[in-house]
Amino acid sequence: MLPDIKGTCPLVEDSFSRFPSQSNIYGLCKADEQELLATPLKGKVVYKATPFLNIYCDYEPGSKFNLESIAQSCLNLALQFTLFQLYHIEYVIVSSETVFLLSGNDQCIHLYKENASLHQFEEQPVERLFPELQELPSNVLWLNVLSIEQNRRLIAFGCQNGSVGLSLVNQKGPEILQNWRVKHDSPICTVLLFPSKQQHQSTDTKNLQTIVIESSLFGFFPHRDVEKYGLSRQLCLAESGQCDAVLCALVADLDFDGQHELLLGTYGQDLLCYKFHQPMGAFEDKLQLLWRRSFKSPLLSLIYLDLDGDGLRELAVLTLKGLHILQHSQRTTADLVLHILSTLVSRLPISSKDPHTHTHTRVQKSR
């Protein structure tokens, strides 16, 4: 039996009873800076299945967050296609705006943008903001966008027929600077774009090498420095031949060293963690397998976020049979914080006005 712990759960449950009867939620998408929530659904009807998109927004500035009021402000958009992925991006036109990108089985990407005068979202031609998403080779299963320096963006997508597209775009205009295409023998499950290091940890942003990861049912294909070489520089992934199909991937700094780790969830029930490592005498670093962890069912999704509000993120692993929450070791994290504090204290300047009043600061671990 669990011990009796006093406290309140920081999460609130809402039934969102405005959903039609027997609705299936296929995904959720929350904008980072605004109280926006979008979810694609598919309602079961006797003779016809009607997919639609719900967008929730609290339009009262300065008002206190109210889950019920957001549920009541639902914007319901009927869809004429079967939906695959919902994605959002902060796009700067005059000011920063949230736009939603929705892919479906009609071989198109649909753009939903807010009409400020009507205070509601509506579909707009995707070529106005994303000309690189026209004339797609197949249905897009996965899409990822990365903003880079000089007001440019990289956008990558994976298709049902195995095609992978990568575009470099100047966001002023916008103008397509370059396109790359490659094709594999099976559908693309996941596509990720990320810099090799966290940008706030590197002073030389021009030398940050952007990595693109593409995963199909028969392989996992990482490419590096894609701004310069496109999809021609493929990396070797250690022990990847021993794994089953990769169904999900995530990039996160799990050890707090400012460099990304790459997490892969497989149909073979394994969670793999890779990190860039430069062997002695090598000209460039390689992806090295750090650890692997097995589960009891295939892994479907990964997300790294602070679930309990303590300032430390947890890794949520969704499998076919349940949700697993992996936490950092509190002792290891505390030791790391103490080490960082000790380093910062040692760098503090010592006043030379009165040498007899120096204060020696020491960081001790509480017992």
Side-chain angles (χ1 to χ4, degrees), residues 49-93:
T50 304
F52 50 93
L53 174 68
N54 278 6
I55 299 180
Y56 303 88
C57 182
D58 189 358
Y59 284 109
E60 298 180 8
S63 61
K64 188 177 180 181
F65 176 80
N66 189 319
L67 187 62
E68 183 62 25
S69 66
I70 291 179
Q72 292 177 352
S73 65
C74 168
L75 173 63
N76 183 276
L77 300 174
L79 306 177
Q80 304 301 320
F81 55 90
T82 300
L83 46 96
F84 287 151
Q85 187 204 9
L86 176 65
Y87 190 85
H88 84 277
I89 182 174
E90 298 296 321
Y91 197 97
V92 179
I93 304 174

Side-chain angles (χ1 to χ4, degrees), residues 259 275-280 282 284-288 290:
Q259 297 186 7
K275 192 179 186 68
F276 281 99
H277 170 71
Q278 186 170 0
M280 292 294 294
E284 62 181 22
D285 47 8
K286 298 182 178 180
L287 279 170
Q288 179 183 16
L290 290 184

Side-chain angles (χ1 to χ4, degrees), residues 150-323:
Q150 298 179 4
N151 199 21
R152 300 178 300 165
R153 70 169 177 257
L154 282 165
I155 185 165
F157 57 84
C159 298
Q160 193 173 16
N161 69 346
S163 297
V164 176
L166 175 68
S167 298
L168 178 63
V169 180
N170 184 352
Q171 300 194 90
K172 292 183 179 179
E175 177 189 3
I176 301 176
L177 302 177
Q178 198 161 356
N179 283 324
W180 296 274
R181 296 289 187 270
V182 68
K183 194 172 186 303
H184 298 286
D185 295 331
S186 64
I188 303 300
C189 305
T190 305
V191 177
L192 279 180
L193 276 167
F194 62 97
S196 56
K197 297 181 180 179
Q198 294 191 33
Q199 296 189 14
H200 68 272
Q201 296 285 345
S202 176
T203 58
D204 187 5
T205 57
K206 292 185 179 180
N207 290 330
L208 285 174
Q209 294 182 325
T210 305
I211 315 298
V212 61
I213 303 293
E214 51 194 75
S215 167
S216 71
L217 296 179
F218 299 133
F220 193 76
F221 311 98
H223 304 267
R224 75 175 310 150
D225 205 2
V226 295
E227 299 169 46
K228 185 176 181 180
Y229 298 102
L231 300 175
S232 61
R233 295 188 67 186
Q234 185 171 325
L235 298 175
C236 178
L237 205 59
E239 301 184 32
S240 60
Q242 303 177 11
C243 304
D244 210 326
V246 175
L247 300 184
C248 53
L250 177 69
V251 175
D253 181 15
L254 297 178
D255 54 7
F256 312 111
D257 66 347
Q259 297 186 7
H260 291 299
E261 283 79 52
L262 174 62
L263 297 171
L264 306 178
T266 71
Y267 184 79
Q269 307 176 15
D270 286 325
L271 175 62
L272 310 176
C273 180
Y274 286 88
K275 192 179 186 68
F276 281 99
H277 170 71
Q278 186 170 0
M280 292 294 294
F283 292 100
E284 62 181 22
D285 47 8
K286 298 182 178 180
L287 279 170
Q288 179 183 16
L289 182 63
L290 290 184
W291 50 264
R292 67 191 302 165
R293 177 168 181 159
S294 296
F295 292 80
K296 294 184 178 181
S297 59
L299 279 66
L300 302 179
S301 181
L302 302 169
I303 189 170
Y304 189 53
L305 74 169
D306 184 7
L307 288 171
D308 52 9
D310 64 349
L312 198 61
R313 294 184 178 185
E314 288 78 38
L315 178 64
V317 182
L318 178 65
T319 70
L320 195 60
K321 294 185 178 179
L323 177 65

